[in-house]
Amino acid sequence: MQQILFPFSMILLTVAAYFLMTKLYKRFSYPFLIPILTATTLIIVFLLVFHIPYNSYMMGGQWINSLLGPSVVALAYPLYKQRHFLMNHLVPILGGVLIAAVSGMVSVGLLAKLLDINHTLILSIIPKSLTTPVAIEVAGELGGNASMTIVGVMIAGIFGSIAAPSIFKFLRVHSPIGRGIALGSASHAIGTSKAAEYSELTFSMSSVTMTLCAIIGSFLGPIVVWLIQI
Amino acid sequence: MKALIIILQICILYIFTFIGTVIHTYFHLIIPGSIIGLLLLFICLCLKIIPVKYIENGAGFLLSILMLFFIPKTVGIMNYPSLLSIHGVLFVAAVLLSTIITIAIAGIAGQFLEKRGQKGGDDKECSRFSSHSA
């Protein structure tokens, strides 16, 4: 009985923390209150207080984690809905996404190497500008640590959407397509919700870019690792 | 009834994940199985092999609570207190700098390509999916 009850209570804990914190975020929409941050903190505090090790928590947590795969597959749906939009702007989108994905991965890899960050950590932050579920999978494929990847992805998302307006102003990027591609490729979904504040076109561009970047990024990841390791 | 439809549709998405994973292991590909599943589903939708109504509720549901699924992995940070050391600071610095570089390059490149390849199509078809998930 204990063997079923414990994992189940961990699932319940996670779901409850998530919905509670989502509610909190809806009331006070500060970027540092995003549910992933607050819910995670809440669960870690709970586990530390009750002396539950992470591995025991994962007996329940792995069930929630197993929904990541289908969620990545589900990204085909918004992409399908925007296929006409994609076809109409094929050249700027594909070109932009390719350049953005390469510069995102190469720049973080080189910087990490320059700053002498340890090997596993470098592999973990290579996919930092991809959307989280894909970044987790790519990090696993590269041999990085998924937890650190998520931290990197969150920082890229939150910081990117805060810094983007000043960068656009400084570099005179006024086109909705340029802005959308930049936000979607550097700051994934958090950037995409920022893009919605500019215009419909910027939003669609950012959302399509985010998905394509995830697909292209999963091809590029191993190549970039191979390149900068030489 | 609606819940049952969502669960069945998530099962379809699971099947695609499974096929993707099988292809991934069988052919020793570097791309994650779920991305292969995504591409397969996208192709199936475009070729109308699978009507979009077979997956739209399930996919929409999963994407609307996407953040919940990262939480177990994120909690794993508790095993890495080293993030609060100098390594953690460098890690954050690398991500911040790279994000600025990416936004700058992507923004300029996107604007440049738009001006070059202007064909005058101002289709504004949009969907507001996955805007609040990360």
Side-chain angles (χ1 to χ4, degrees), chain A residues 36 43 54 61 65-67 70-73 77 80-81 88-89 96 104 107-108 111 115 125 128 132-133 137 141 145 147-148 150-151 155 159 171-175 177-178 186 189 193 200 203-204 218-219, chain B residues 14 17 24 30-31 34 38 41-42 45 48 56 65-66 68-74 76-77 79-80 83 87 90-91 95-98 100 102-104 107 111 113-114 121 123 125-128 131 133-134:
Chain A
I36 179 91
I43 294 169
Y54 178 63
N65 193 49
S66 71
L67 279 163
S71 315
V72 172
V73 175
Y77 171 56
Y80 172 76
K81 279 180 70 174
N88 286 339
H89 304 274
S107 66
V108 82
L111 280 167
L115 294 172
I125 44 173
K128 66 106 181 59
T132 319
E137 304 255 335
E141 213 57 55
N145 175 282
S147 308
M148 300 311 275
I150 299 172
V151 176
I155 297 172
F159 175 73
L171 294 172
R172 296 197 188 86
V173 176
H174 301 301
S175 90
I177 292 184
S193 50
E200 284 291 313
F203 170 78
S204 304
S218 65
F219 285 83
Chain B
Y14 252 116
T17 316
H24 167 85
I30 46 169
I31 320 148
S34 51
L38 188 167
L41 178 60
F42 184 68
L45 288 172
K48 312 262 184 250
E56 60 184 349
I65 55 163
L66 189 58
L68 170 64
F69 312 137
F70 320 147
I71 293 177
K73 285 268 179 187
T74 320
I77 296 167
N79 285 348
Y80 301 90
L83 190 64
H87 259 296
L90 293 177
F91 175 88
V95 174
L96 294 185
L97 277 174
S98 163
I100 296 177
T102 312
I103 292 179
Q111 181 159 279
L113 289 169
E114 180 191 12
D123 188 344
E125 193 197 332
C126 303
S127 72
R128 291 196 157 259
S131 62
S133 42

XYZ file of all heavy atoms in Angstrom, chain A residues 36 43 54 61 65-67 70-73 77 80-81 88-89 96 104 107-108 111 115 125 128 132-133 137 141 145 147-148 150-151 155 159 171-175 177-178 186 189 193 200 203-204 218-219, chain B residues 14 17 24 30-31 34 38 41-42 45 48 56 65-66 68-74 76-77 79-80 83 87 90-91 95-98 100 102-104 107 111 113-114 121 123 125-128 131 133-134:
785
model
N 6.626 27.936 -12.631
C 7.700 26.952 -12.616
C 8.708 27.289 -11.512
O 9.214 26.416 -10.814
C 8.379 26.861 -14.009
C 9.521 25.847 -14.012
C 8.911 28.171 -14.477
C 9.121 24.491 -14.380
N 8.100 23.002 -3.645
C 8.304 21.554 -3.531
C 9.665 21.247 -2.897
O 9.766 20.379 -2.027
C 8.167 20.883 -4.916
C 6.729 21.011 -5.409
C 8.563 19.411 -4.839
C 6.524 20.636 -6.845
N 15.504 13.425 -3.410
C 14.974 13.654 -4.760
C 14.573 12.341 -5.431
O 13.540 12.274 -6.090
C 16.017 14.402 -5.597
C 15.588 14.646 -7.022
C 14.483 15.449 -7.296
C 16.280 14.083 -8.090
C 14.085 15.678 -8.589
C 15.883 14.319 -9.396
C 14.789 15.117 -9.644
O 14.407 15.341 -10.936
N 7.252 11.673 -9.368
C 7.540 12.707 -10.353
C 7.723 12.174 -11.761
O 7.379 12.826 -12.737
N 6.654 13.535 -15.457
C 7.733 13.744 -16.414
C 7.484 13.011 -17.738
O 7.861 13.480 -18.805
C 9.031 13.252 -15.764
C 10.241 13.698 -16.528
O 10.366 14.870 -16.862
N 11.104 12.767 -16.845
N 6.801 11.870 -17.660
C 6.589 11.067 -18.870
C 5.619 11.732 -19.846
O 5.496 11.301 -20.983
C 6.075 9.676 -18.495
O 4.745 9.777 -18.041
N 4.952 12.803 -19.407
C 4.067 13.522 -20.331
C 4.837 14.526 -21.196
O 4.264 15.143 -22.095
C 2.966 14.241 -19.549
C 1.794 13.340 -19.151
C 0.974 13.978 -18.050
C 0.904 13.050 -20.359
N 4.847 13.385 -25.206
C 3.635 13.758 -25.940
C 3.471 15.272 -26.073
O 2.935 15.745 -27.076
C 2.507 13.179 -25.089
C 3.125 12.124 -24.271
C 4.571 12.451 -24.108
N 3.950 16.045 -25.087
C 3.819 17.503 -25.198
C 4.680 18.052 -26.321
O 4.291 19.008 -26.993
C 4.241 18.201 -23.905
O 3.694 17.562 -22.819
N 5.862 17.463 -26.514
C 6.712 17.890 -27.625
C 6.000 17.567 -28.939
O 5.929 18.401 -29.846
C 8.097 17.217 -27.564
C 8.896 17.518 -28.815
C 8.857 17.676 -26.339
N 5.450 16.347 -29.031
C 4.711 15.951 -30.239
C 3.534 16.905 -30.469
O 3.247 17.292 -31.599
C 4.216 14.495 -30.113
C 3.340 14.121 -31.302
C 5.392 13.536 -30.021
N 0.742 20.642 -33.509
C -0.591 21.206 -33.720
C -0.562 22.722 -33.983
O -1.074 23.168 -35.019
C -1.486 20.823 -32.536
C -2.822 21.501 -32.494
C -3.698 21.405 -33.575
C -3.221 22.241 -31.392
C -4.930 22.037 -33.532
C -4.444 22.868 -31.346
C -5.295 22.777 -32.418
O -6.497 23.405 -32.386
N 0.998 23.288 -37.324
C 0.094 22.949 -38.428
C -0.897 24.086 -38.664
O -1.171 24.463 -39.803
C -0.650 21.654 -38.104
C -1.750 21.317 -39.079
C -1.458 20.801 -40.337
C -3.079 21.533 -38.737
C -2.462 20.495 -41.234
C -4.098 21.227 -39.633
C -3.785 20.715 -40.880
O -4.782 20.423 -41.761
N -1.437 24.641 -37.576
C -2.409 25.719 -37.717
C -1.801 26.951 -38.379
O -2.508 27.748 -38.973
C -2.987 26.095 -36.348
C -4.083 25.127 -35.922
C -4.652 25.475 -34.586
C -5.478 26.730 -34.613
N -6.137 26.949 -33.304
N 3.888 31.639 -46.363
C 3.917 32.996 -46.910
C 5.188 33.757 -46.573
O 5.551 34.705 -47.256
C 2.716 33.797 -46.396
C 1.436 33.370 -47.073
O 1.464 32.785 -48.155
N 0.308 33.633 -46.435
N 5.830 33.367 -45.481
C 7.056 34.074 -45.075
C 8.211 33.093 -44.985
O 9.035 33.188 -44.093
C 6.863 34.747 -43.717
C 5.710 35.685 -43.657
N 5.812 37.005 -44.029
C 4.432 35.515 -43.271
C 4.640 37.591 -43.864
N 3.782 36.711 -43.411
N 16.064 33.278 -40.945
C 16.214 33.878 -39.628
C 16.390 32.834 -38.547
O 17.245 32.954 -37.671
N 22.640 31.329 -31.272
C 22.297 31.039 -29.877
C 23.167 29.952 -29.292
O 23.698 30.085 -28.189
N 27.196 30.872 -29.520
C 27.624 31.928 -28.599
C 27.656 31.420 -27.161
O 28.608 31.685 -26.427
C 26.722 33.149 -28.717
O 25.423 32.848 -28.282
N 26.650 30.663 -26.749
C 26.644 30.202 -25.355
C 27.747 29.166 -25.137
O 28.405 29.151 -24.098
C 25.252 29.693 -24.909
C 25.003 28.280 -25.350
C 25.117 29.785 -23.396
N 31.125 31.149 -25.029
C 31.216 31.920 -23.785
C 31.484 31.004 -22.597
O 32.330 31.296 -21.752
C 29.908 32.689 -23.556
C 29.742 33.977 -24.334
C 28.299 34.455 -24.261
C 30.672 35.049 -23.786
N 34.699 31.104 -20.196
C 34.583 31.315 -18.749
C 35.018 30.081 -17.969
O 34.935 30.052 -16.752
C 33.133 31.675 -18.386
C 32.613 33.008 -18.908
C 31.131 33.155 -18.642
C 33.371 34.164 -18.272
N 23.879 23.849 -21.059
C 23.320 25.140 -21.500
C 23.335 25.336 -23.006
O 22.787 26.308 -23.485
C 23.954 26.393 -20.846
C 25.452 26.295 -20.777
C 23.324 26.704 -19.535
C 26.079 27.590 -20.297
N 19.906 26.156 -24.414
C 19.168 27.085 -23.549
C 18.158 27.970 -24.273
O 17.255 28.477 -23.637
C 20.136 27.951 -22.731
C 20.967 28.902 -23.570
C 20.512 30.321 -23.449
C 21.342 31.251 -24.305
N 21.345 30.944 -25.752
N 11.423 24.682 -23.421
C 11.849 23.772 -22.343
C 11.729 22.274 -22.609
O 12.707 21.552 -22.409
C 11.137 24.122 -21.026
O 11.105 25.523 -20.897
C 11.853 23.511 -19.840
N 10.556 21.758 -23.047
C 10.479 20.300 -23.203
C 11.504 19.764 -24.194
O 12.082 18.697 -23.981
C 9.052 20.062 -23.706
C 8.572 21.358 -24.195
C 9.288 22.403 -23.412
N 15.070 17.302 -23.643
C 15.392 16.121 -24.444
C 16.770 16.261 -25.107
O 17.548 15.312 -25.136
C 14.335 15.917 -25.537
C 12.926 15.803 -25.001
C 12.426 14.379 -25.024
O 12.915 13.592 -25.844
O 11.540 14.052 -24.216
N 20.224 14.059 -24.637
C 20.913 13.464 -25.781
C 22.394 13.836 -25.787
O 23.254 13.023 -26.117
C 20.236 13.968 -27.060
C 20.206 13.023 -28.210
C 19.535 11.719 -27.865
O 18.370 11.717 -27.388
O 20.184 10.698 -28.077
N 22.929 17.988 -18.011
C 22.062 17.760 -16.864
C 20.768 18.553 -17.034
O 20.783 19.782 -17.109
C 22.807 18.211 -15.604
C 21.935 18.115 -14.388
O 21.081 18.966 -14.173
N 22.123 17.074 -13.627
N 18.255 19.402 -15.179
C 17.867 20.427 -14.198
C 18.566 21.750 -14.491
O 17.960 22.820 -14.433
C 18.225 19.980 -12.783
O 17.703 18.715 -12.541
N 19.874 21.657 -14.810
C 20.621 22.878 -15.107
C 20.125 23.491 -16.414
O 20.075 24.712 -16.558
C 22.117 22.580 -15.232
C 22.723 22.004 -13.983
S 22.293 22.957 -12.522
C 23.518 24.199 -12.570
N 17.089 23.496 -17.513
C 15.862 24.254 -17.262
C 16.189 25.615 -16.654
O 15.603 26.631 -17.036
C 14.910 23.461 -16.345
C 14.515 22.153 -17.028
C 13.658 24.269 -16.034
C 13.732 21.213 -16.161
N 17.166 25.651 -15.738
C 17.564 26.933 -15.155
C 18.022 27.878 -16.266
O 17.597 29.035 -16.334
C 18.699 26.738 -14.124
C 19.175 28.080 -13.599
C 18.233 25.859 -12.979
N 16.230 31.437 -17.436
C 16.951 32.714 -17.408
C 16.910 33.362 -18.792
O 16.625 34.551 -18.930
C 18.415 32.515 -16.942
C 18.436 31.988 -15.508
C 19.190 33.829 -17.027
C 19.802 31.569 -15.025
N 15.011 36.899 -18.942
C 15.908 38.017 -19.230
C 15.703 38.525 -20.659
O 15.667 39.739 -20.891
C 17.365 37.599 -19.008
C 18.342 38.658 -19.402
C 18.492 39.798 -18.626
C 19.106 38.523 -20.551
C 19.381 40.786 -18.996
C 20.001 39.507 -20.926
C 20.139 40.642 -20.150
N 19.500 48.825 -31.699
C 19.929 48.346 -33.025
C 18.950 48.730 -34.132
O 19.098 48.330 -35.273
C 20.100 46.817 -33.000
C 21.223 46.285 -32.111
C 21.164 44.779 -32.028
C 22.576 46.729 -32.631
N 17.926 49.506 -33.787
C 16.887 49.931 -34.729
C 16.225 48.767 -35.459
O 16.082 48.767 -36.673
C 17.484 50.904 -35.758
C 17.976 52.184 -35.117
C 18.169 53.286 -36.136
N 18.808 54.421 -35.504
C 20.131 54.544 -35.375
N 20.935 53.621 -35.846
N 20.640 55.600 -34.775
N 15.838 47.765 -34.710
C 15.053 46.678 -35.296
C 13.582 47.050 -35.128
O 13.044 47.002 -34.028
C 15.335 45.327 -34.587
C 14.445 44.222 -35.139
C 16.793 44.943 -34.748
N 12.955 47.481 -36.224
C 11.564 47.911 -36.133
C 10.591 46.928 -36.767
O 9.403 46.990 -36.520
C 11.385 49.285 -36.792
C 12.221 50.341 -36.172
N 12.112 50.667 -34.838
C 13.221 51.118 -36.660
C 13.002 51.618 -34.533
N 13.691 51.899 -35.641
N 11.114 46.037 -37.623
C 10.193 45.178 -38.361
C 9.594 44.120 -37.444
O 10.285 43.559 -36.599
C 10.916 44.506 -39.521
O 11.457 43.279 -39.107
N 8.693 41.179 -38.204
C 9.279 39.870 -38.467
C 10.601 39.719 -37.729
O 10.854 38.719 -37.062
C 9.447 39.656 -39.992
C 8.062 39.538 -40.631
C 10.289 38.426 -40.284
C 8.060 39.241 -42.107
N 11.448 40.747 -37.800
C 12.732 40.708 -37.103
C 12.547 40.539 -35.601
O 13.205 39.720 -34.961
N 15.336 33.397 -29.186
C 16.202 33.562 -28.010
C 15.456 33.253 -26.720
O 16.031 32.733 -25.778
C 16.764 34.977 -27.961
N 8.967 30.460 -25.358
C 7.572 30.792 -25.066
C 7.413 32.068 -24.245
O 6.440 32.804 -24.410
C 6.897 29.631 -24.351
N 5.190 35.350 -25.474
C 4.107 36.098 -24.835
C 4.463 37.585 -24.769
O 3.579 38.438 -24.767
C 3.759 35.532 -23.456
O 4.885 35.366 -22.664
N -0.007 41.239 -33.659
C -0.388 39.881 -34.052
C 0.711 39.230 -34.884
O 1.062 38.075 -34.686
C -1.670 39.917 -34.885
C -2.931 40.142 -34.100
C -3.281 38.957 -33.217
O -3.244 37.808 -33.690
O -3.580 39.192 -32.034
N 3.651 38.218 -32.895
C 3.312 37.044 -32.097
C 3.377 35.767 -32.923
O 4.017 34.795 -32.536
C 1.912 37.206 -31.489
C 1.405 35.950 -30.851
C 1.855 35.561 -29.604
C 0.498 35.134 -31.512
C 1.414 34.393 -29.018
C 0.053 33.965 -30.945
C 0.507 33.591 -29.693
N 2.722 35.769 -34.090
C 2.730 34.569 -34.936
C 4.143 34.204 -35.331
O 4.530 33.037 -35.322
C 1.944 34.813 -36.219
O 0.658 35.208 -35.909
N 17.494 20.726 -32.357
C 17.802 19.350 -31.963
C 18.730 18.672 -32.973
O 19.450 17.745 -32.641
C 16.513 18.543 -31.754
O 15.833 18.409 -32.961
N 18.730 19.178 -34.216
C 19.703 18.695 -35.200
C 21.075 19.340 -34.952
O 22.108 18.713 -35.061
C 19.275 19.070 -36.632
C 18.154 18.227 -37.170
C 16.832 18.525 -36.866
C 18.412 17.146 -37.996
C 15.796 17.769 -37.367
C 17.377 16.381 -38.497
C 16.066 16.686 -38.182
N 0.878 9.902 -27.563
C 1.807 8.930 -26.983
C 2.312 7.958 -28.043
O 3.495 7.611 -28.083
C 1.125 8.125 -25.861
C 1.611 8.478 -24.487
C 0.746 9.036 -23.557
C 2.938 8.259 -24.108
C 1.178 9.375 -22.291
C 3.374 8.589 -22.850
C 2.498 9.143 -21.939
O 2.932 9.480 -20.701
N 4.920 9.565 -30.003
C 6.171 9.623 -29.215
C 6.863 8.275 -29.273
O 8.087 8.184 -29.447
C 5.858 9.951 -27.742
O 4.902 10.985 -27.687
C 7.116 10.381 -27.011
N 14.238 6.445 -33.325
C 15.447 7.007 -32.726
C 16.436 5.913 -32.307
O 17.624 5.976 -32.627
C 15.057 7.861 -31.519
C 16.198 8.247 -30.646
N 16.976 9.350 -30.900
C 16.692 7.691 -29.516
C 17.901 9.442 -29.970
N 17.758 8.455 -29.121
N 20.594 11.131 -33.808
C 20.966 12.065 -32.757
C 19.777 12.914 -32.320
O 19.803 13.537 -31.278
C 22.116 12.993 -33.210
C 21.828 13.534 -34.613
C 23.440 12.274 -33.164
C 22.747 14.648 -35.022
N 18.720 12.924 -33.143
C 17.552 13.746 -32.823
C 16.689 13.002 -31.804
O 16.465 11.808 -31.957
C 16.705 13.987 -34.083
C 17.625 14.240 -35.265
C 15.744 15.122 -33.900
C 17.030 13.728 -36.553
N 11.032 12.325 -29.474
C 9.813 13.131 -29.473
C 9.803 14.138 -30.627
O 8.732 14.455 -31.159
C 9.665 13.852 -28.137
O 10.839 14.534 -27.810
N 7.079 14.588 -33.469
C 6.508 15.886 -33.864
C 6.478 16.011 -35.379
O 5.458 16.356 -35.974
C 7.352 17.007 -33.250
C 6.926 18.482 -33.322
C 7.764 19.302 -32.363
C 6.995 19.079 -34.691
N 3.922 13.645 -36.929
C 2.552 14.123 -36.744
C 2.269 15.299 -37.676
O 1.200 15.368 -38.295
C 2.319 14.532 -35.283
C 0.938 15.100 -34.965
C -0.167 14.095 -35.263
C 0.830 15.546 -33.511
N 3.232 16.216 -37.806
C 3.062 17.371 -38.685
C 2.833 16.917 -40.128
O 1.931 17.403 -40.809
C 4.288 18.288 -38.596
C 4.150 19.545 -39.405
C 3.227 20.517 -39.043
C 4.934 19.758 -40.525
C 3.095 21.676 -39.779
C 4.797 20.914 -41.271
C 3.878 21.876 -40.893
N -0.607 15.365 -40.449
C -1.657 16.382 -40.463
C -1.719 17.059 -41.824
O -2.800 17.271 -42.379
C -1.402 17.421 -39.367
C -1.632 16.997 -37.914
C -1.144 18.081 -36.955
C -3.103 16.707 -37.646
N -3.245 15.000 -44.423
C -4.610 14.624 -44.016
C -4.744 13.132 -43.690
O -5.823 12.556 -43.821
C -5.648 14.997 -45.098
C -5.522 16.397 -45.633
C -6.512 17.330 -44.956
C -6.473 18.731 -45.548
N -5.901 19.723 -44.646
N -6.638 17.788 -31.712
C -6.604 19.188 -31.279
C -6.930 19.386 -29.800
O -6.268 20.185 -29.133
C -7.468 20.085 -32.175
C -8.918 19.724 -32.214
C -9.687 20.598 -33.209
O -9.110 21.582 -33.685
O -10.844 20.285 -33.494
N -1.094 23.199 -20.035
C -0.512 22.975 -18.703
C 0.927 22.479 -18.823
O 1.445 21.804 -17.940
C -1.345 21.983 -17.860
C -1.538 20.663 -18.600
C -2.672 22.568 -17.454
C -1.976 19.532 -17.688
N 1.562 22.868 -19.934
C 2.916 22.395 -20.241
C 3.905 22.554 -19.083
O 4.708 21.678 -18.796
C 3.415 23.154 -21.473
C 4.711 22.692 -22.121
C 4.625 21.258 -22.540
C 5.026 23.567 -23.323
N 3.638 22.357 -15.980
C 3.554 21.335 -14.929
C 4.537 20.200 -15.183
O 5.144 19.677 -14.247
C 2.110 20.792 -14.877
C 1.857 19.554 -14.026
C 2.124 19.831 -12.551
C 0.427 19.067 -14.197
N 4.724 19.849 -16.451
C 5.553 18.682 -16.768
C 7.046 18.909 -16.560
O 7.817 17.970 -16.535
C 5.291 18.205 -18.206
C 3.838 18.078 -18.535
C 3.328 18.522 -19.739
C 2.961 17.507 -17.613
C 1.980 18.415 -20.034
C 1.612 17.402 -17.901
C 1.125 17.856 -19.112
N 7.474 20.186 -16.463
C 8.908 20.415 -16.224
C 9.240 20.354 -14.751
O 10.402 20.271 -14.387
C 9.390 21.809 -16.666
C 8.828 22.318 -17.936
C 8.617 23.671 -18.103
C 8.533 21.457 -18.969
C 8.114 24.160 -19.276
C 8.038 21.957 -20.145
C 7.824 23.300 -20.302
N 8.225 20.496 -13.907
C 8.514 20.670 -12.483
C 9.357 19.536 -11.895
O 10.359 19.807 -11.240
C 7.210 20.936 -11.688
C 6.649 22.297 -12.101
C 7.466 20.904 -10.191
C 5.329 22.665 -11.455
N 9.015 18.244 -12.145
C 9.846 17.190 -11.539
C 11.330 17.306 -11.878
O 12.171 17.159 -10.992
C 9.244 15.909 -12.118
C 7.829 16.252 -12.388
C 7.851 17.675 -12.842
N 11.639 17.616 -13.148
C 13.050 17.766 -13.522
C 13.668 18.986 -12.851
O 14.833 18.973 -12.459
C 13.198 17.906 -15.044
C 13.013 16.614 -15.787
C 14.326 15.897 -15.989
C 14.042 14.598 -16.730
N 15.119 13.704 -16.884
N 12.888 20.065 -12.759
C 13.420 21.289 -12.165
C 13.738 21.088 -10.690
O 14.720 21.622 -10.175
C 12.427 22.458 -12.330
O 11.852 22.387 -13.619
C 13.117 23.783 -12.165
N 15.004 18.707 -9.437
C 16.320 18.079 -9.390
C 17.457 19.036 -9.069
O 18.554 18.611 -8.696
N 17.195 20.350 -9.188
C 18.212 21.347 -8.833
C 18.659 21.161 -7.393
O 19.801 21.465 -7.046
C 17.640 22.774 -9.016
C 17.324 23.022 -10.478
C 18.617 23.827 -8.535
C 16.501 24.249 -10.680
N 19.684 18.781 -5.924
C 20.894 17.961 -5.824
C 22.144 18.705 -6.280
O 23.228 18.155 -6.275
C 20.737 16.688 -6.666
C 19.824 15.681 -5.994
O 19.491 15.836 -4.822
N 19.412 14.668 -6.731
N 21.985 19.943 -6.727
C 23.139 20.708 -7.221
C 23.287 22.038 -6.503
O 23.058 23.082 -7.112
C 23.025 20.928 -8.733
C 22.955 19.640 -9.471
C 21.736 19.045 -9.727
C 24.123 18.990 -9.860
C 21.672 17.818 -10.370
C 24.057 17.773 -10.496
C 22.832 17.199 -10.753
O 22.774 15.995 -11.382
N 25.209 25.437 -7.732
C 24.702 26.542 -8.548
C 24.880 27.864 -7.806
O 24.966 28.926 -8.404
C 23.226 26.307 -8.876
C 22.657 27.256 -9.923
C 23.350 27.056 -11.248
C 21.166 27.066 -10.082
N 30.697 29.007 -9.936
C 30.304 28.328 -11.169
C 28.903 28.743 -11.592
O 28.633 28.936 -12.776
C 30.336 26.808 -10.972
C 31.565 26.188 -11.545
N 31.851 26.201 -12.882
C 32.607 25.554 -10.947
C 32.994 25.605 -13.099
N 33.492 25.201 -11.931
N 29.021 32.215 -13.161
C 29.544 32.161 -14.535
C 28.495 31.599 -15.495
O 28.328 32.071 -16.623
C 30.808 31.304 -14.586
C 32.022 31.860 -13.857
C 33.180 30.882 -13.931
C 32.421 33.206 -14.445
N 27.807 30.562 -15.015
C 26.747 29.916 -15.792
C 25.690 30.951 -16.192
O 25.333 31.089 -17.365
C 26.143 28.808 -14.919
C 24.954 28.096 -15.484
C 25.112 26.992 -16.305
C 23.660 28.507 -15.166
C 24.016 26.317 -16.800
C 22.561 27.830 -15.669
C 22.751 26.729 -16.485
N 24.693 32.610 -19.989
C 23.341 32.600 -20.552
C 22.878 34.022 -20.883
O 22.342 34.276 -21.966
C 22.334 31.921 -19.578
C 20.919 32.048 -20.108
C 22.685 30.459 -19.377
N 23.137 34.958 -19.967
C 22.695 36.343 -20.197
C 23.361 36.943 -21.433
O 22.689 37.489 -22.304
C 23.008 37.215 -18.971
C 22.248 36.905 -17.672
C 22.594 37.934 -16.596
C 20.743 36.881 -17.896
N 24.688 36.817 -21.506
C 25.410 37.387 -22.652
C 24.944 36.762 -23.964
O 24.697 37.452 -24.947
C 26.915 37.166 -22.484
C 27.640 38.183 -21.602
C 29.085 37.765 -21.399
C 27.570 39.560 -22.261
N 24.819 35.452 -23.952
C 24.426 34.753 -25.176
C 23.019 35.149 -25.612
O 22.736 35.252 -26.807
C 24.500 33.244 -24.950
O 23.778 32.574 -25.930
N 21.608 38.089 -25.143
C 21.717 39.409 -25.791
C 22.232 39.250 -27.223
O 21.668 39.813 -28.165
C 22.671 40.328 -24.989
C 22.081 40.610 -23.606
C 22.927 41.636 -25.742
C 22.969 41.443 -22.707
N 22.100 36.624 -29.185
C 21.108 35.955 -30.039
C 20.008 36.918 -30.472
O 19.639 36.959 -31.650
C 20.472 34.766 -29.296
O 21.495 33.987 -28.705
C 19.661 33.902 -30.244
N 19.492 37.697 -29.523
C 18.422 38.641 -29.872
C 18.930 39.637 -30.898
O 18.251 39.939 -31.886
C 17.896 39.366 -28.611
C 17.164 38.378 -27.704
C 16.956 40.511 -29.000
C 16.635 38.972 -26.432
N 20.153 40.144 -30.699
C 20.707 41.138 -31.613
C 20.867 40.551 -33.014
O 20.376 41.120 -33.997
C 22.053 41.638 -31.079
N 17.426 39.508 -34.582
C 16.614 40.673 -34.926
C 17.096 41.321 -36.215
O 16.311 41.602 -37.126
N 15.122 41.183 -39.865
C 14.722 42.435 -40.505
C 15.317 42.536 -41.904
O 14.640 42.929 -42.859
C 15.192 43.604 -39.636
C 14.822 44.954 -40.190
C 14.836 46.025 -39.115
O 13.905 46.175 -38.351
N 15.926 46.761 -39.058
N 16.297 40.005 -43.878
C 15.671 39.031 -44.786
C 14.265 39.459 -45.183
O 13.821 39.211 -46.298
C 15.624 37.650 -44.118
C 16.964 36.943 -43.965
C 16.834 35.744 -43.061
C 17.481 36.513 -45.335
N 13.577 40.127 -44.269
C 12.223 40.587 -44.585
C 12.274 41.628 -45.705
O 11.503 41.579 -46.656
C 11.565 41.191 -43.350
C 10.144 41.679 -43.623
C 9.585 42.504 -42.491
O 10.364 42.894 -41.596
O 8.368 42.765 -42.506
N 2.938 39.543 -49.110
C 1.859 38.769 -48.494
C 1.678 39.191 -47.051
O 2.585 39.022 -46.256
N -0.484 38.001 -44.737
C -1.382 37.063 -44.092
C -1.199 37.160 -42.590
O -0.095 37.125 -42.091
C -0.999 35.655 -44.579
C -1.990 34.621 -44.127
O -2.770 34.927 -43.204
O -1.987 33.525 -44.696
N -2.880 35.202 -40.289
C -3.521 34.091 -39.593
C -2.732 33.714 -38.344
O -1.528 33.545 -38.383
C -3.591 32.868 -40.517
C -4.502 31.811 -39.967
C -4.265 30.466 -40.624
O -3.835 30.444 -41.793
O -4.497 29.458 -39.955
N -3.433 33.641 -37.261
C -2.714 33.405 -36.011
C -3.447 32.426 -35.125
O -4.636 32.254 -35.222
C -2.643 34.676 -35.189
S -1.906 35.990 -36.040
N -2.706 31.825 -34.250
C -3.366 31.094 -33.183
C -2.658 31.483 -31.908
O -1.485 31.793 -31.903
C -3.252 29.607 -33.415
O -1.947 29.192 -33.175
N -3.393 31.479 -30.833
C -2.778 31.955 -29.597
C -2.421 30.786 -28.693
O -2.765 30.741 -27.521
C -3.723 32.905 -28.883
C -3.867 34.188 -29.641
C -4.467 35.266 -28.771
N -4.103 36.556 -29.314
C -3.148 37.283 -28.808
N -2.467 36.872 -27.771
N -2.872 38.449 -29.349
N 1.252 30.384 -25.568
C 1.870 31.665 -25.311
C 2.232 31.816 -23.838
O 3.048 32.626 -23.480
C 0.941 32.784 -25.738
O -0.231 32.720 -24.994
N 3.142 29.118 -21.851
C 3.968 28.034 -21.358
C 5.397 28.322 -21.764
O 5.642 29.097 -22.668
C 3.497 26.733 -21.971
O 3.203 26.932 -23.331
N 6.315 27.702 -21.082
C 7.702 28.017 -21.408
C 8.378 26.852 -22.073
O 8.445 25.799 -21.583
C 8.464 28.402 -20.176
